[in-house]
């Protein structure tokens, strides 16, 4: 019987032949021959990349031969955070740089869903489709800076619509169609889109979900939308009936015209992502064409080691930043592999079968999926031909040591396992894999090039081999340009720079190892990050507290060992109300319908009161610490609590959970 895998155990080392074939090796050789910069270790390269930001990011621009119609005058004209100004004077287009990597030797896309058999799209087909969509959008009056939004799943049409939008210099934003109506309205309404792309429905876990009535509701709520492009995905015969501004996808593709690329400044908006805070509406994060281009060239080609002919897959919805990362695989010459559906339908072999059918070389997933496979005792390496698979990536939550061990025992001995961490906020990972480094159980291999990641104590001092706040101490090109509708930058500064002025605080607990790796210990803030989909607690509160019987509520997201996630919802009820099965079902149904099926709580508990800060904010993080087993005297400061007696209930709840079960998992 194999010994249990413990955190820090060495599980894999790249051979010299493997390292010599990597893009990293080529890049380091190029630095030596072209720039006179000679590095023999990754740590030395990283130290240079964060101490000489100008030199490093200039090397990325030159090494990857960025296509630009106007050159830059300075790499980093202003390094303040927030407010850094990168590659001033440059003009370019993200989509143009994507198509610079086109090749007739390999398809651009391979796609499969629960209902659609495997199909391929060549680069020529992708170009023709993007050109037609761009011509159609142009005829609709879409111009540089206009917002185009999508209520679409992870399908080739979504990718084509995004590239067309980017080619025009318009601004993209998307939500997955499993998001509830209000959740989508809360996001899109803020940015005033002019065009909405949507599907008539989708299939998940063997069930059809008709979305036509929701699309019509979105169209009515988004009063700035002039055209709604409907993709008949669930039903090939679907029409635009019921839509005031409906256009069928097939009609959009009849437009003709060459694919041209609007040249925009480096910091022109590319897309808007959403990261929810604990109060108010989701924050619309604006990221730039040039910053995303450079960051994704780096992470795709170097840290993921994507090479022409690779098949890159990451299980994601279009509402998560990993979709944006996945389509960035085109910048590395990869064939991007899109899958739409449940990863466990009809069984847990689905994604492994998809890997074989597509020639997948990089499989990206989550600890939750790997844990499900381990519990089901499946053995992918014995059941499927995974000879082309060179790497498995995992994100969404920390990958525990035992799942590292499971991958090496049941998938492949010679496998590069990369547990990675980053954020929607920068649309990238900053704790990543590196094909030059060994893999240790429970650890992320390295801090990303150009990402000055540190662990800080409460006084802003760096820590090594101790748990602290994850910070980024120097600017990165993909940091947000700004938040939409935040002209003075107040929400932006409060979100990342309030604890350590001039230093980005991300909201994770991290330990930097003496070797330069890292371990993540979950969120230090209160964002709900479930199955890789982030949702703000304020989203939950708006729905739950609209139910007449509920007068207050508190929701927590707690990451547990083994990739598990526990999400309890505490409710304070109106006088005379009873938390019976009927009320619990109504709360769950409302959350499932209005927000997301992924954010239905594991259990609902009646509480006498919700503890609050002196300024009236709910004490989410301190109560979360209690349920993680942190003693009350270390979890919270009663003097900063408006109603300190309210904490007693949660202290006792946590004590009973820990004493009764050894964990906070529900029954």
């Amino acid at each position: 019987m194999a010994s249990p895998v413990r955190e820090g155990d060495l599980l894999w080392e790249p051979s010299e032949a493997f390292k010599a074939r990597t893009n990293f090796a080529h890049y380091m050789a190029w630095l030596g021959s072209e720039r006179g910069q000679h590095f023999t270790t990754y740590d030395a390269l990283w130290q240079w990349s964060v101490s000489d930001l100008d030199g490093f990011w200039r090397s990325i621009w030159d090494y990857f031969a960025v296509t630009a119609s106007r050159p830059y005058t300075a790499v980093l004209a202003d390094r303040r955070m927030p407010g850094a100004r990168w590659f001033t004077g440059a003009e370019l287009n993200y989509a143009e740089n994507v198509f610079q990597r086109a090749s007739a030797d390999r398809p651009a896309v391979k796609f499969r869903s629960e209902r659609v058999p495997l199909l391929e799209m060549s680069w020529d087909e992708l170009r023709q489709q993007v050109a037609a969509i761009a011509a159609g959008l142009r005829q609709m009056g879409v111009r540089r800076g206009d917002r185009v939004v999508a209520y679409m799943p992870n399908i080739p049409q979504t990718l084509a619509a995004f590239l067309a939008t980017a080619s025009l210099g318009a601004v993209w934003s998307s939500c997955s169609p499993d998001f509830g109506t209000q959740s989508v309205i809360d996001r899109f309404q803020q940015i005033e889109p002019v065009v909405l792309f949507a599907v008539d429905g989708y299939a998940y876990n063997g069930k059809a979900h008709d979305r036509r009535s929701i699309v019509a509701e979105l169209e009515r709520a988004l009063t700035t939308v002039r055209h709604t492009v409907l993709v008949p995905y669930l039903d090939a015969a679907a029409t635009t009936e019921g839509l005031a501004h409906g256009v069928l996808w097939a009609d959009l593709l009849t437009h003709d015209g060459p694919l041209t690329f609007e040249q925009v400044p480096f910091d022109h908006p590319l897309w808007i992502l959403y990261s929810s805070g604990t109060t108010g509406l989701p924050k619309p994060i604006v990221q730039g064409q040039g910053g995303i281009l450079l960051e994704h060239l780096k992470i795709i080609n170097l840290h993921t080691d994507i090479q022409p002919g690779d098949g890159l897959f990451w299980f994601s919805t279009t509402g998560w930043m990993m979709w944006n990362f996945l389509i960035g695989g085109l910048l590395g010459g990869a064939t991007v592999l899109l899958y739409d559906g449940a990863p466990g339908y009809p069984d847990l072999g689905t994604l492994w079968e998809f890997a074989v059918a597509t020639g997948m070389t990089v499989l990206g997933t989550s600890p939750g999926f790997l844990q499900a496979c381990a519990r089901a005792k499946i053995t992918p390496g014995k059941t499927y031909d995974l000879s082309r698979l060179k790497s498995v990536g995992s994100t969404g939550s920390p990958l525990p040591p035992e799942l590292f061990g499971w991958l090496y025992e049941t998938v492949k001995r010679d496998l590069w396992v990369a547990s990675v961490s980053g954020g929607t906020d920068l649309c990238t990972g900053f704790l990543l894999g590196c094909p030059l480094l060994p893999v240790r159980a429970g650890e992320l291999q390295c801090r990303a090039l150009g990402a000055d990641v540190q662990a800080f104590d409460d006084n802003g001092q760096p820590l090594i081999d101790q748990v602290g706040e994850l910070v980024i101490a120097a600017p990165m090109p993909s940091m947000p340009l700004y938040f939409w509708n935040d002209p003075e930058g107040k929400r932006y500064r409060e979100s990342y720079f309030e604890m350590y002025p001039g230093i980005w605080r991300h909201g994770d607990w991290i330990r930097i190892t003496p070797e330069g790796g890292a371990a993540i210990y979950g969120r230090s803030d209160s964002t709900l990050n479930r199955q890789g989909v982030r949702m703000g607690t304020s989203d939950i509160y708006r729905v739950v507290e609209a139910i007449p019987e509920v007068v207050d509520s508190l929701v927590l997201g707690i990451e547990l060992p083994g990739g598990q996630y526990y999400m309890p919802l505490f409710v304070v009820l109106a006088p005379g109300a009873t938390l019976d099965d009927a009320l619990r079902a109504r709360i769950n149904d409302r959350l499932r319908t209005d927000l997301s099926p992924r954010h239905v709580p594991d259990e609902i508990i009646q509480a006498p009161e919700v503890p609050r800060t002196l300024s009236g904010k709910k004490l989410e993080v301190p109560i979360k610490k209690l349920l993680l087993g942190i003693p009350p005297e270390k979890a919270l400061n009663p003097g900063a609590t408006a109603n300190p007696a309210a904490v007693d209930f949660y202290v006792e709840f946590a004590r009973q959970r820990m004493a009764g079960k050894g964990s906070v998992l529900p029954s």
Side-chain angles (χ1 to χ4, degrees):
M1 184 175 178
S3 301
V5 175
R6 297 167 300 178
E7 184 172 311
D9 284 354
L10 179 63
L11 299 177
W12 178 82
E13 287 191 89
S15 68
E16 292 303 316
F18 182 91
K19 290 190 282 189
R21 293 192 297 269
T22 66
N23 291 330
F24 250 119
H26 189 273
Y27 169 65
M28 291 170 75
W30 178 87
L31 283 174
S33 62
E34 299 296 321
R35 298 296 159 88
Q37 297 278 1
H38 300 278
F39 302 102
T40 57
T41 66
Y42 178 80
D43 185 64
L45 177 63
W46 178 80
Q47 293 286 352
W48 168 73
S49 76
V50 297
S51 60
D52 183 3
L53 294 177
D54 282 67
F56 169 68
W57 288 107
R58 181 184 293 112
S59 79
I60 295 297
W61 177 289
D62 292 344
Y63 179 72
F64 291 110
V66 169
T67 298
S69 59
R70 290 185 61 184
Y72 58 85
T73 56
V75 172
L76 186 53
D78 189 337
R79 61 176 295 148
R80 288 177 300 172
M81 288 195 292
R85 295 174 57 235
W86 291 94
F87 291 90
T88 49
E91 291 195 355
L92 44 65
N93 187 281
Y94 174 95
E96 182 175 15
N97 278 272
V98 165
F99 280 100
Q100 289 294 324
R101 274 74 181 173
S103 172
D105 297 335
R106 55 186 180 270
V109 178
K110 293 182 182 180
F111 166 70
R112 204 184 88 190
S113 77
E114 290 187 7
R115 293 188 167 199
V116 179
L118 185 67
L119 59 82
E120 294 186 1
M121 176 182 281
S122 71
W123 275 98
D124 278 348
E125 290 170 324
L126 180 61
R127 174 181 282 272
Q128 291 167 13
Q129 195 168 105
V130 171
I133 298 166
L137 291 175
R138 198 177 290 112
Q139 191 172 89
M140 291 174 180
V142 176
R143 298 291 180 264
R144 174 199 289 216
D146 285 344
R147 276 75 63 206
V148 173
V149 298
Y151 188 58
M152 300 264 284
N154 184 21
I155 57 179
Q157 293 94 323
T158 313
L159 168 59
F162 157 67
L163 289 172
T165 299
S167 76
L168 298 175
V171 186
W172 174 263
S173 192
S174 62
C175 282
S176 171
D178 64 354
F179 274 36
T181 313
Q182 193 58 49
S183 182
V184 179
I185 292 170
D186 285 347
R187 286 156 172 77
F188 288 167
Q189 207 166 51
Q190 296 184 71
I191 65 173
E192 301 180 312
V194 298
V195 173
L196 167 66
F197 283 89
V199 286
D200 62 319
Y202 66 98
Y204 190 86
N205 209 26
K207 296 180 180 178
H209 299 269
D210 193 313
R211 282 294 184 259
R212 284 173 292 187
S213 63
I214 291 179
V215 174
E217 191 174 345
L218 292 177
E219 188 186 61
R220 289 192 295 271
L222 303 174
T223 56
T224 55
V225 166
R226 302 193 296 259
H227 303 276
T228 299
V229 180
L230 186 74
V231 179
Y233 180 51
L234 189 64
D235 176 7
T239 69
T240 58
E241 182 181 357
L243 297 177
H245 312 294
V247 177
L248 277 175
W249 175 260
D251 293 335
L252 186 67
L253 295 184
T254 62
H255 290 83
D256 194 19
L259 180 57
T260 59
F261 303 100
E262 178 79 7
Q263 298 300 296
V264 297
F266 186 89
D267 59 357
H268 182 81
L270 174 63
W271 53 46
I272 297 172
L273 306 181
Y274 302 91
S275 179
S276 299
T278 57
T279 59
L281 293 170
K283 299 187 294 287
I285 298 172
V286 184
Q287 291 160 339
Q289 288 233 8
I292 291 295
L293 172 63
L294 280 192
E295 176 59 37
H296 284 188
L297 283 169
K298 178 200 76 177
I299 187 175
I300 293 290
N301 291 278
L302 297 180
H303 285 283
T304 316
D305 196 43
I306 291 299
Q307 302 187 17
D310 273 343
L312 172 63
F313 170 75
W314 211 288
F315 184 81
S316 178
T317 73
T318 58
W320 187 25
M321 58 133 305
M322 291 309 298
W323 181 81
N324 305 72
F325 163 84
L326 170 61
I327 61 178
L330 296 173
L331 292 167
T335 296
V336 295
L337 311 177
L338 308 180
Y339 183 82
D340 178 46
Y345 178 81
D347 55 52
L348 287 168
T350 294
L351 295 187
W352 302 107
E353 292 170 357
F354 185 58
V356 176
T358 56
M360 187 184 299
T361 56
V362 179
L363 187 158
T365 183
S366 67
F369 172 73
L370 298 176
Q371 182 68 63
C373 291
R375 285 177 176 166
K377 300 187 183 306
I378 69 171
T379 53
K382 293 181 180 178
T383 309
Y384 307 101
D385 178 8
L386 301 176
S387 55
R388 276 185 52 82
L389 188 68
K390 69 177 183 182
S391 176
V392 170
S394 174
T395 193
S397 61
L399 185 67
E402 57 268 25
L403 289 181
F404 275 85
W406 180 83
L407 283 165
Y408 283 103
E409 285 293 328
T410 67
V411 177
K412 220 176 178 184
R413 288 287 185 183
D414 187 16
L415 185 69
W416 170 28
V417 175
S419 178
V420 302
S421 183
T424 298
D425 324 74
L426 289 84
C427 197
T428 190
F430 36 75
L431 294 156
L432 297 172
C434 174
L436 307 179
L437 298 175
V439 172
R440 299 182 186 276
E443 294 183 6
L444 301 94
Q445 284 179 286
C446 65
R447 292 173 279 188
L449 293 183
D452 192 1
V453 175
Q454 308 284 347
F456 269 19
D457 65 16
D458 290 344
N459 298 316
Q461 298 301 309
L463 303 168
I464 293 294
D465 217 20
Q466 296 182 57
V467 177
E469 286 278 356
L470 191 162
V471 303
I472 305 175
M476 294 175 63
S478 67
M479 283 179 172
L481 302 175
Y482 48 84
F483 291 169
W484 201 265
N485 294 329
D486 183 31
E488 303 301 321
K490 182 174 182 292
R491 291 187 77 191
Y492 187 15
R493 289 191 301 273
E494 288 175 348
S495 296
Y496 310 112
F497 301 101
E498 201 166 57
M499 180 176 285
Y500 309 109
I503 301 290
W504 177 290
R505 171 191 171 267
H506 193 66
D508 281 331
W509 284 302
I510 184 176
R511 177 175 61 88
I512 305 293
T513 70
E515 297 80 20
I520 294 286
Y521 297 96
R523 300 293 295 170
S524 65
D525 63 15
S526 55
T527 301
L528 304 171
N529 189 349
R530 200 172 204 193
Q531 298 177 28
V533 178
R534 296 178 69 179
M535 184 76 70
T537 54
S538 59
D539 287 325
I540 305 293
Y541 299 144
R542 275 200 300 276
V543 173
V544 172
E545 293 168 19
I547 296 170
E549 293 91 340
V550 179
V551 297
D552 206 354
S553 61
L554 179 73
V555 67
L556 305 172
I558 301 171
E559 296 172 9
L560 300 170
Q564 300 172 87
Y565 194 89
Y566 174 47
M567 185 176 146
L569 172 66
F570 299 90
V571 293
V572 180
L573 299 184
T578 302
L579 185 60
D580 54 17
D581 289 344
L583 180 56
R584 283 189 172 93
R586 192 143 46 90
I587 292 171
N588 286 336
D589 288 344
R590 189 72 61 84
L591 286 168
R592 185 180 292 109
T593 302
D594 288 356
L595 285 180
S596 159
R598 290 177 173 83
H599 291 83
V600 172
D602 291 306
E603 60 177 336
I604 303 174
I605 307 105
Q606 184 174 351
E609 198 176 354
V610 171
R612 295 179 180 272
T613 66
L614 296 174
S615 60
K617 294 181 180 179
K618 300 180 185 187
L619 283 177
E620 295 165 330
V621 172
I623 303 303
K624 176 178 175 177
K625 289 180 178 179
L626 288 176
L627 273 89
L628 283 166
I630 296 174
E633 62 272 18
K634 293 185 178 181
L636 55 90
N637 175 15
T641 307
N643 50 346
V647 175
D648 295 343
F649 170 84
Y650 301 88
V651 171
E652 180 62 17
F653 178 85
R655 188 193 67 78
Q656 290 186 13
R657 283 289 177 187
M658 300 298 288
K661 300 185 175 63
S663 76
V664 295
L665 281 173
S667 303

